Amino acid sequence: MNIILLGPPGAGKGTQAKILEEERGLKQLSTGDMLRAEIAAETPLGVEVRQIMDAGGLVSDDIVIRMIATRIDHPDCARGFILDGFPRTVPQAQALDNMLAQKNKNLDAVIQLVVDEAALLVRVQKRAAENPNAVRGDDNEDALKKRLDVYRAQTAPILPYYESKNLLKKIDGMASVEAVTESIREILD
Ligand code: AMP
């Protein structure tokens, strides 16, 4: 089973992806985590993307498309994957369709976590306060505002793209973690 979790920063995609990994043996593929690993390892790619990420912008489509294309062939994705943070633009969504078609794979669902934007800043601040050692370069008010602007301008346009393919399912992302997990279960079962 291959699914996409969609929603603005702080919507809970990563939390739900980890639960799905445990429950269903699917693999979470987070382009944000992959890019942060490149930064931590100080690779040339990490050096290239760091400033863009810290400012809340998007790295280029080519980079993330290549990352996902090599990653979904890995044996740990044999039971399926959960895309978390990808695709984030219409060209990324189109590239994903092409690569899945070439590999004879398909998408089972695109799940949108619908959240109240005003609550997101509080959530992201809470994440930083609870995990001071893991504060992300983009977990600050300015970068979050920018990430929300980018989400509205570049990522939200992929919602109608998946709606037209009858893949889009919307759930209330403001509910408790358990309730969100339950809504996802209902969609997938
Ligand atoms: P995330 O952890 O998903 O919130 O991603 C953190 C940052 O990584 C984003 O703000 C972007 O700078 C970059 N990033 C992650 N995924 C993508 C993507 N699919 N396309 C472009 N940039 C991305």
Side-chain angles (χ1 to χ4, degrees), residues 8-10 13 30-33 35-36 49-50 52-61 64-65 68 84-89 92 127 136 138 143 147 150:
K13 301 184 295 292
S30 158
T31 39
D33 284 351
L35 291 164
R36 280 185 289 276
V49 299
R50 180 181 196 133
I52 300 170
M53 285 178 67
D54 281 354
L58 290 185
V59 310
S60 80
D61 287 337
V64 287
I65 290 166
I68 290 293
D84 158 15
F86 179 94
R88 252 183 166 92
T89 64
Q92 289 179 25
R127 175 163 80 191
R136 295 167 37 163
D138 58 0
R147 284 154 71 202
V150 167

Side-chain angles (χ1 to χ4, degrees), residues 8-175:
K13 301 184 295 292
T15 302
Q16 295 299 329
K18 291 205 167 65
I19 295 171
L20 284 167
E21 272 200 321
E22 296 239 325
E23 283 192 359
R24 295 179 187 250
L26 305 174
K27 185 67 194 167
Q28 174 191 16
L29 298 182
S30 158
T31 39
D33 284 351
M34 293 175 201
L35 291 164
R36 280 185 289 276
E38 298 283 340
I39 292 175
E42 296 180 358
T43 64
L45 176 60
V47 172
E48 184 186 332
V49 299
R50 180 181 196 133
Q51 280 189 340
I52 300 170
M53 285 178 67
D54 281 354
L58 290 185
V59 310
S60 80
D61 287 337
D62 286 353
I63 291 175
V64 287
I65 290 166
R66 247 184 289 131
M67 285 181 137
I68 290 293
T70 51
R71 198 58 193 77
I72 59 178
D73 285 329
H74 200 271
D76 63 3
C77 292
R79 297 196 55 181
F81 51 78
I82 312 142
L83 292 174
D84 158 15
F86 179 94
R88 252 183 166 92
T89 64
V90 172
Q92 289 179 25
Q94 290 164 337
L96 176 65
D97 275 349
N98 291 338
M99 77 176 85
L100 292 178
Q102 274 170 17
K103 297 171 197 283
N104 270 322
K105 294 179 194 279
N106 65 304
L107 284 173
D108 296 280
V110 178
I111 300 174
Q112 180 191 2
L113 302 180
V114 180
V115 290
D116 164 20
E117 280 195 15
L120 292 177
L121 183 60
V122 177
R123 272 200 191 181
V124 170
Q125 281 169 338
K126 200 165 153 243
R127 175 163 80 191
E130 282 169 359
N131 235 330
N133 296 329
V135 172
R136 295 167 37 163
D138 58 0
D139 269 351
N140 59 72
E141 195 168 340
D142 283 349
L144 181 72
K145 285 195 176 128
K146 165 87 174 164
R147 284 154 71 202
L148 282 171
D149 286 345
V150 167
Y151 177 81
R152 268 184 241 110
Q154 305 213 61
T155 308
I158 68 182
L159 297 169
Y161 178 81
Y162 287 121
E163 205 153 30
S164 70
K165 293 175 180 282
N166 272 330
L167 283 172
L168 189 68
K169 312 275 180 209
K170 294 176 197 256
I171 61 174
D172 175 15
M174 296 311 293

